[in-house]
Amino acid sequence: MNPVIENMQKHVSVRDFKNEPLSDDTKRQLLIAAQSGSSSNFVQAFSIIEITDLKLRDQIAQISNSASYVNQTGTFYVFVADLYRQSQMLNEAGESLDGIKHMEQLLVATVDTTIAAEDMAIAAEAMGLGICYIGGIRNDISKIAKLLNLPKYTFPLFGLTVGIPASKNQVKPRLPQKIQVSTNTYDANKSTDLDEYDQTVSQYYANRESHPANTNWTQKNLDFFKEVRRPDVGKFLKEQGFSLR
Ligand SMILES: Cc1cc2nc3c(=O)[nH]c(=O)nc-3n(C[C@H](O)[C@H](O)[C@H](O)COP(=O)(O)O)c2cc1C
């Protein structure tokens, strides 16, 4: 097995960090990794805000319901999907902003930002560090935007904790490839054949050392999707200038 992939297979989200800041050199390398990914049409539609102010970090952690690990981690970045630069270019050129307001460009910015974060995550794990994405910042997305002085045509997508792990969960078993990967066409029958995987996930939750639980993958998804979550995100995106069309 290629050592990069071997390391990727060991990925777990870390929620228990040593209370040690990362060195400047480590952070420099992480940021280089984040900036090295592909970018749709080379628009590089993201910004990264490192939160070094511990009071601010705690405010973000409280909003995210993840105070213990966001406050304790080596460092914490907020990944911002960002078309503000492009809006300024268009303004200065006297062009309409319609080209950045549409849904397609919202997707472009979201994807660019996610690629940057995942490249940082892979780099961090290659350096023996642990990471956890914090989508919880969107629990109050307007408040986060205010705290970070975000301009129009930007939105805070998620945070990323990076630090030295104090402890780690066991790796979560992924979907079997036979139901997630197909050839030439989507196979709707296979993609929902979840009995075997539900058993595997149920065993994982029953036997894991920290927070064992009586659940399976289907149940987890039902719990997650049975209600509308973060209903104010759409309204916020409109306020930021996106048409959502
Ligand atoms: C975009 C995104 C947002 C996430 N937000 C949170 C979060 O707010 N809090 C948290 O504890 N974990 C968060 N996670 C971590 C997921 O819960 C985790 O990746 C998932 O359960 C799979 O577990 P693993 O990463 O250990 O394999 C997030 C993951 C992603 C990709």
Side-chain angles (χ1 to χ4, degrees), residues 82-101 151-154 240-242:
D82 187 355
L83 289 164
Y84 174 71
R85 289 180 199 92
Q86 282 77 6
S87 76
Q88 292 300 98
M89 291 174 205
L90 289 164
N91 276 337
E92 276 165 32
E95 298 286 350
S96 150
L97 296 186
D98 285 354
I100 61 169
K101 290 180 179 175
K152 280 186 99 170
Y153 309 108
T154 67
Q240 289 301 93
F242 297 100

Side-chain angles (χ1 to χ4, degrees), residues 177-178 180-187 190:
Q177 287 188 0
K178 66 181 177 195
Q180 200 169 29
V181 182
S182 59
T183 308
N184 297 325
T185 183
Y186 188 85
D187 188 334
K190 271 212 253 165

Side-chain angles (χ1 to χ4, degrees), residues 229-242:
R229 295 163 62 88
R230 300 173 184 148
D232 56 336
V233 167
K235 183 171 161 274
F236 168 78
L237 289 173
K238 277 191 176 163
E239 285 163 9
Q240 289 301 93
F242 297 100

Side-chain angles (χ1 to χ4, degrees), residues 121-145:
I122 291 168
E125 289 175 341
M127 295 162 94
L129 301 170
I131 64 101
C132 188
Y133 283 87
I134 305 294
I137 68 167
R138 300 194 306 275
N139 290 341
D140 191 344
I141 194 166
S142 307
K143 182 80 190 288
I144 298 282

Side-chain angles (χ1 to χ4, degrees), residues 95-123:
E95 298 286 350
S96 150
L97 296 186
D98 285 354
I100 61 169
K101 290 180 179 175
H102 276 250
M103 198 64 199
E104 166 63 9
Q105 303 313 336
L106 192 79
L107 289 181
V108 161
T110 304
V111 172
D112 269 17
T113 310
T114 306
I115 288 171
E118 186 58 11
D119 275 358
M120 180 185 280
I122 291 168

